[in-house]
Amino acid sequence: MEEQTQVLEHRSVGQAMGRGTLCRCPHCGQGKMFRAYLKVADQCNVCGEELNHHRADDFPPYIAITIVGHVIIFLMLHMDMAYRVEPMTYVWTMIPLAIVLPLAILPSIKGAIVGLQWANRMYGFGTGQAD
């Protein structure tokens, strides 16, 4: 019986996540990762790497909400300690921030998660021909 050993090329987690944060293909860094706001493209339009294996699910929104929650709490505490703030000021400033900020950072976070999965060959990444 003969064993077949396949040597897999090293994939940099940091580089893949960085490229994903820029919403680019984690393999080549050139092609677009998304075909719509949060819809990951089936494959890279430059190198052909399959991107449809991702399983980001609810993790990116969870991270976005956690980050934005910490930012808003910090801002509220700072405003309360440094200035005399009316409660309605928080309503008019923090509620729009709580809506806009997660929507703004969500694609980058999802791209980083897909890049992480690609670099670690999770969920079928790494079994295609573009490796």
Side-chain angles (χ1 to χ4, degrees):
M1 294 192 177
E2 195 176 303
E3 280 188 41
Q4 281 188 334
T5 306
Q6 182 180 8
V7 178
L8 299 174
E9 70 177 74
H10 173 72
R11 293 179 175 178
S12 170
V13 174
Q15 185 180 46
M17 289 182 71
R19 289 174 174 173
T21 301
L22 297 174
C23 302
R24 297 289 177 200
C25 170
H27 183 249
C28 69
Q30 301 297 315
K32 293 182 179 181
M33 181 178 289
F34 298 104
R35 59 184 160 98
Y37 174 62
L38 288 177
K39 295 282 186 185
V40 178
D42 290 335
Q43 64 184 24
C44 175
N45 58 356
V46 174
C47 68
E49 180 74 29
E50 291 184 6
L51 301 173
N52 60 344
H53 301 293
H54 75 90
R55 297 291 178 264
D57 300 329
D58 293 334
F59 193 42
Y62 175 80
I63 293 174
I65 290 168
T66 302
I67 291 170
V68 170
H70 281 82
V71 168
I72 287 178
I73 294 296
F74 171 78
L75 288 173
M76 289 178 73
L77 286 173
H78 175 72
M79 287 172 61
D80 196 46
M81 290 172 36
Y83 311 104
R84 184 174 181 89
V85 180
E86 294 295 321
M88 283 307 287
T89 303
Y90 294 127
V91 170
W92 297 115
T93 58
M94 298 303 155
I95 290 177
L97 277 178
I99 294 170
V100 171
L101 285 179
L103 294 174
I105 65 174
L106 198 53
S108 292
I109 293 172
K110 185 169 183 174
I113 299 300
V114 172
L116 173 71
Q117 293 175 358
W118 176 84
N120 289 317
R121 292 179 165 79
M122 298 167 67
Y123 308 115
F125 282 120
T127 59
Q129 313 301 16
D131 272 336

